[in-house]
Structure formats: C-alpha cells, structure tokens
Amino acid sequence: MTITQPRRLAAGMLAALAALALAACSGQPSTPAAGQAAGEASADPAPPVHFDWFEYTGRDAAFEEPLPEGHFRNPILAGFHSDPSITAANGKFYLVASTFSFFPGIPVFESEDLVHWTQVGNAIHRPGQLDFDGLGMSRGVFAPAIEYHDGTFYVVNTSVDAGGNFMVTAKDPAGPWSDPIWLPTIGGIDPSLFFDDDGKVYILNNDEPEVPVRYDGHRAIWLQEIDIASGKPFGPRKVLIDGGVKPEENPIWIEGPHIYKVDGWYYLSDAEGGTGPQHSQVVLRSRDVWGPYEPYEHNPILTQRDLDPDRPLPVTNAGHADMVQGPDGTWWATFLASRNYGRDHYNTGRETFLLPVTWKDGWPVILPRGEKIPYVLPGPSWMKTPADQAPMTGNFTWRDEFDVVELGKGWMTPRVPKTQWYDGSSRPGWLTIHPLRERLDAKVNMSFYARRQQHLVFEASTALEPPAPGVAAGLAAFQGDDHWYFLGARRDGDRLEVFLEKKAGEGDPEVVATQSIAAPGQLVLHIEGDEGRYGFGFDGGEGVQWLVRDADGTILSTDVAGGFIGATLGPYARDERAAQ
C-alpha cells in the first residue's frame, strides 16, 4: 500500500472527459433476487474475478489549510468512525469505534500521541464471534467502550438485534480477542466499565428508567458492580441519572456513559440529545460512585447545535465523548461529529475528532458554548512531528496493490462471511473475488470489499480483468441496503457491457445507463464525488469515458439513507448465472 499527496487529472484529460455524452439506458438485465442465497446458485462456483489495484484520492477544502508546526488536523479518523472510546495502556493509547453490521467489526487503533493512529486489529475478527445475517447495516455493534486493567484489554459493547450486551477481552490489542462474554442481565445499549482504585469494577449502561417512560427518548443511566473475572454483574443496580441533566426539559437519549475519578470526585459524562444536530456532551460529579450526581451548571461541555447552520465547512452532530489523560497530565477528549454539505447532508458519516479538555473550577470542559470545532489546532506536547496523519485524515492518495494475502486493515464487508470469497494468494499481487449471488441489498454477506469514503471530494478507481460470462463485477458506492450505486461490467457476446445500477429506496434497483465496448485486457473503473454530485466512468484502453456525470450523491448521505453509517467504496462481484 502506498500513500502520496493528492494528484489532479491533466487538463487535457479533463477536457476529453467533459466532451463525452451519457449512455442511454437500454433496459434492465435480470439479476438475482436481493435475498437469494448462495446455495441457490449453480452447483459449480462462478468464475473468479481478479482486481489488480484500488486507488483512492481525497481533496477536501477543509484539509487545504496549512498546518503550522506542532498542529494537527481534525477529524483524526476521517470517514465513518463513530462512537469513539479511548484508553491508555503501556505508554500508548487505544481507540475503538462502531462498525454496526460490517465485518471485521470494532476496529482497534493504536497511537503514541493521540494524533497519529494505526489500526492494529479488530475486536470482532472471527466469523464465529457474532452473526449479523438479517440485520440492516445500521444494526449490529453499537458504541464499543475500551478499558485496560492489569494486563488485559476489555471491550464492552451492544450487538443490537443480535444478542445484546457482551464483553470481549485480549492481552494484545491486535488480538486475538475472546469470544463474547454475554451480559444477559444488562439491558439497553452503550455499556462501559469503570475500574475504581479500591479494586471494585462497575458496569454502566443506558436503559429504560425505573419509572414509566414519559416520552420518546426518555432513558436513564444505570450502574452495577461486576465480577470482572467471570463477567457477571452482581448486587443492586441503581439509576445514576434519569432523563438527563435537566429532566424538567424532557431531554432525550442520555447514553454513552463513562465514569472518571479525578481528585476524589467521580465524574459521570454522557451524550445527550440524540446523534443528530442537537447532539451534545454533559457532565455530572459526585463524591460517591453511587451518587447522587450533581450536574455542571454550564452544561453541555460540548455541542455545535447553537451555531449558524449555514456557516462554511460546518462540523455538526458533536457528542459521544470519551476522555483520557496524557503523560504530561493534560486531558483530551475523543468524540464523534460530522462534516456536512448542503446543510443536512454528510456522506462521510460520523467521524472521530480530538480536542483538549480544560478544567474549570473542578469541571472538565471540552469546548465552550458557541465555539466552532477547529479543523487545525495545537497538538499534545508530546506529539510526533511533522503531523502527517494520512491515510486517516487530511488530503492524500492511498493505493492498495493487493500484494498481501490477508484482508487489509481498513477493508470491511457487509455482515459476516460464510465462505472465504476473497483471497490474495490464488493469484499473488491481485485481489481475487469468488462471486456470490447476493445483490448489494441482500440482508446477508455479499462479495463486496469495502473501504470508507473519507472525503466530500474524492476519486476512487480500480482495475480488473473483465469478468467471465455469467458474472458482473466492478466498483460499488454503498451506504446501506437500499442506497447504493454499482458501476459494473458483464460479458455480452464478444463485447463488454458497462452499466450503472442504482438503488435509492425500497424496491428493485434500476439500471440508469449502459454502454457496449470492445472487451479490453484490463478495465479501469472510476467513481468521483463532489459533495452531492457523483460521476461514474470507465477506461477500456482509450482513455476515461464517463457513463454518468452529476448523479445524485445525496442518496449516499446518512440523512437521506437513514441509520448511522457513512458511504463505503470498493470492488464488488456478483454471480448472475441462472439457478439450477
């Protein structure tokens, strides 16, 4: 894999591309049903498809600001890395984030300075740990929380609609991680652990309140002691906060709880207001872990909801924070937020940001009310320089030559594979995909190799050998089960049909454009995005031709597609042979 600075297409090529007309849709070829199982395919496996490389370039305006010495860029993890949780261990920092119904799940990142992050593993990395079949893409693993204690890493999490709350452990954050230790007595979502200095361990979580629910979004934060060796909670459970810091205002979705002990105070920090524009972070404190907890009079300690929605380069949806102390004694907070365009749209999902924590009169404040989250700010005193954070953030070109046998870190696939349909060993230097029959709207795993879209303005391309008859293969832009594009190619006699398939809601996908070309030895497919406008093109050896320009990219935004994830891109192949 290589990383370089952004590159631009030559002016002559751009002019040639602009002169090309759209191809008309000549009809919709038959494709397998969304839920058709691989077992319904022809008994013999479909011919494999070989992809030579994948390349991604991002060039966002927000990342063009010069970076002064000692500064870093936000977000620290661009592209959808929501619900970040962080811990310190052995002189380093470790962070996990939500992946919902993608696999591998719950990426584990490592950093020495809170700014430069490297993915070292996944807490859900074996097919036997969890199963997401039948789930929508925004179900699955929500809001993991990571802690380190006495040589062991702990991740507690909720597998929504697929088992409930659980814990996994590891001695090495790179793995292997244990099978889930289920927590059947802990309901709701967003569990986290707190290791007190007296040896006791507690589990917090969001759940319905003790009293009858008064309104939609009325939730409470609960606390119970847990035997960390056996993974079994015991003793009384108690509500620490009911509704939120101002219950008289009917606050919604108090969640993502964490407890920190500082100078004899127990600080309880929670997200509040939902994960949209009203999202915020609040804090309370007590001298006793069981409370009562007093809210900070100047809550919230982080939000962007009071700012002008039409401001340039907006950052919105800020909240779901976790805090950690650095080696110099300073405190820092990771949290999720989104980078919008057109006021409400964000295709890159909820990303991970970093800000320093300021202590005021014994209270931690992440950002004063009314201040914008900065894209560039001074880094920790121990930050490595220069602060080149690619490929996690900033503008860069990232290229995967598919020269390793294992699934590359950062790549995912929807739901858990039941067969090993991707490999890097059968043809070294290539990604080989053995096509499954499932369409991109199937509620099971499909043969789609996905990477996060990290920029509002980007290019993605891949090179492949044209597929054999009965197989469609190409490049997908996928936001969820019912919102995606598939730029593909299939054999049509001695020629090749290049097509663009679109799904923007319930029902069958539609083919919006096709073009017949002479079958080349190698086909290069291109997707370009500029906020809500996407282009889809191909190069069969005569230069790039655009099949569709200015396609509606807002269907890949979270606000349109719904749910909690961001758009992903990558190679996809599909077995289209008739079932036998």
Side-chain angles (χ1 to χ4, degrees):
M1 301 178 189
T2 57
I3 305 166
T4 63
Q5 294 301 312
R7 56 182 176 78
R8 299 190 181 275
L9 293 173
M13 180 178 290
L14 287 172
L17 300 181
L20 294 169
L22 301 181
C25 174
S26 59
Q28 181 173 342
S30 61
T31 59
Q36 191 162 13
E40 295 176 344
S42 177
D44 59 313
V49 181
H50 303 289
F51 292 83
D52 192 4
W53 50 262
F54 174 90
E55 186 171 285
Y56 174 93
T57 296
R59 51 172 67 93
D60 280 358
F63 297 146
E64 292 179 355
E65 180 180 350
L67 198 63
E69 184 176 356
H71 287 58
F72 72 95
R73 295 191 192 279
N74 262 327
I76 53 171
L77 297 177
F80 95 87
H81 295 87
S82 63
D83 311 313
S85 176
I86 191 169
T87 194
N90 304 321
K92 297 182 180 181
F93 301 93
Y94 295 90
L95 184 150
V96 292
S98 297
T99 41
F100 302 95
S101 293
F102 280 100
F103 179 87
I106 312 181
V108 181
F109 295 93
E110 181 182 83
S111 175
E112 295 180 358
D113 61 5
L114 297 176
V115 169
H116 300 85
W117 292 92
T118 301
Q119 186 177 347
V120 295
N122 291 274
I124 304 301
H125 57 89
R126 294 187 305 279
Q129 286 174 292
L130 293 174
D131 189 357
F132 304 135
D133 278 7
L135 301 185
M137 287 308 303
S138 285
R139 311 314 283 170
V141 288
F142 276 36
I146 187 170
E147 295 291 346
Y148 174 78
H149 181 74
D150 197 21
T152 299
F153 289 88
Y154 300 86
V155 168
V156 286
N157 186 239
T158 310
S159 183
V160 175
D161 298 336
N165 288 309
F166 68 93
M167 176 171 62
V168 290
T169 65
K171 295 297 185 181
D172 184 342
W177 287 79
S178 72
D179 287 336
I181 302 163
W182 294 101
L183 305 167
T185 63
I186 303 297
I189 60 172
D190 294 7
S192 69
L193 295 174
F194 170 62
F195 291 83
D196 207 345
D197 50 20
D198 62 1
K200 294 182 178 180
V201 187
Y202 301 87
I203 185 165
L204 300 94
N205 66 293
N206 151 299
D207 205 348
E208 292 189 355
E210 286 181 298
V211 299
V213 173
R214 295 189 291 110
Y215 54 89
D216 187 29
H218 180 198
R219 290 295 184 273
I221 300 302
W222 292 76
L223 181 73
Q224 188 176 19
E225 201 168 348
I226 185 171
D227 180 348
I228 200 64
S230 66
K232 293 183 178 180
F234 66 92
R237 293 184 70 219
K238 181 180 178 180
V239 170
L240 301 186
I241 179 172
D242 184 340
V245 296
K246 294 183 178 181
E248 69 277 6
E249 297 181 1
N250 291 348
I252 61 172
W253 306 122
I254 189 79
E255 59 190 11
H258 294 279
I259 286 181
Y260 317 90
K261 191 173 185 181
V262 182
D263 295 334
W265 287 99
Y266 293 90
Y267 290 89
L268 171 63
S269 187
D270 314 272
E272 199 181 276
T275 58
Q278 299 301 307
H279 204 197
S280 67
Q281 192 73 17
V282 297
V283 67
L284 308 91
R285 72 179 184 181
S286 173
R287 287 294 188 183
D288 190 303
V289 69
W290 293 100
Y293 281 86
E294 168 200 2
Y296 179 42
E297 64 175 325
H298 299 300
N299 275 317
I301 60 172
L302 170 68
T303 191
Q304 297 284 273
R305 65 190 179 206
D306 303 320
L307 302 181
D308 180 359
D310 295 317
R311 64 193 182 278
L313 303 178
V315 177
T316 66
N317 306 337
H320 204 103
D322 194 5
M323 300 193 302
V324 71
Q325 190 172 20
D328 62 354
T330 60
W331 285 78
W332 293 79
T334 57
F335 58 94
L336 69 81
S338 303
R339 292 181 294 132
N340 292 33
Y341 66 92
R343 180 180 282 201
D344 299 321
H345 303 313
Y346 51 101
N347 295 29
T348 47
R350 296 168 171 89
E351 305 172 296
T352 293
F353 287 70
L354 176 72
L355 283 178
V357 176
T358 302
W359 289 85
K360 296 182 178 180
D361 301 321
W363 292 95
V365 177
I366 300 172
L367 192 69
R369 292 284 292 273
E371 289 192 14
K372 295 188 295 185
I373 294 170
Y375 281 100
V376 172
L377 69 156
S381 63
W382 69 98
M383 185 183 78
K384 296 186 299 180
T385 57
D388 177 11
Q389 297 164 252
M392 297 305 176
T393 194
N395 287 334
F396 56 83
T397 291
W398 181 89
R399 185 178 175 97
D400 195 333
E401 296 284 356
F402 300 132
D403 51 2
V404 295
V405 173
E406 299 298 325
L407 180 75
K409 292 182 176 64
W411 290 100
M412 309 175 294
T413 184
R415 304 179 188 85
V416 181
K418 300 300 188 291
T419 61
Q420 185 70 24
W421 51 258
Y422 50 84
D423 76 75
S425 59
S426 61
R427 188 171 179 180
W430 296 69
L431 168 67
T432 297
I433 291 182
H434 302 274
L436 304 177
R437 288 186 58 79
E438 282 69 26
R439 276 191 338 214
L440 288 167
D441 52 357
K443 291 290 182 69
V444 294
N445 180 237
M446 69 286 287
S447 39
F448 170 46
Y449 198 61
R451 183 192 188 281
R452 293 167 180 83
Q453 179 186 326
Q454 296 175 276
H455 299 78
L456 280 65
V457 181
F458 74 92
E459 302 167 13
S461 54
T462 192
L464 68 153
E465 289 186 348
V471 172
L475 192 58
F478 176 86
Q479 209 282 346
D481 305 303
D482 295 326
H483 295 82
W484 43 263
Y485 285 100
F486 173 34
L487 175 63
R490 59 170 66 91
R491 293 281 179 176
D492 182 14
D494 59 355
R495 296 179 65 80
L496 199 65
E497 178 191 65
V498 181
F499 63 91
L500 180 64
E501 201 171 81
K502 170 187 176 181
K503 186 164 186 180
E506 296 182 357
D508 287 331
E510 62 174 318
V511 176
V512 297
T514 64
Q515 186 163 328
S516 178
I517 64 172
Q522 187 175 86
L523 178 68
V524 180
L525 298 174
H526 299 268
I527 298 177
E528 292 189 355
D530 185 350
E531 296 186 341
R533 300 183 303 277
Y534 280 52
F536 300 87
F538 62 92
D539 183 351
E542 299 179 353
V544 178
Q545 303 180 54
W546 290 105
L547 188 63
V548 172
R549 302 301 301 265
D550 295 326
D552 180 11
T554 66
I555 71 165
L556 304 178
S557 67
T558 306
D559 65 297
V560 172
F564 306 113
I565 64 175
T568 57
L569 305 150
Y572 168 57
R574 184 173 67 206
D575 180 359
E576 296 186 338
R577 298 172 303 161
Q580 295 181 357

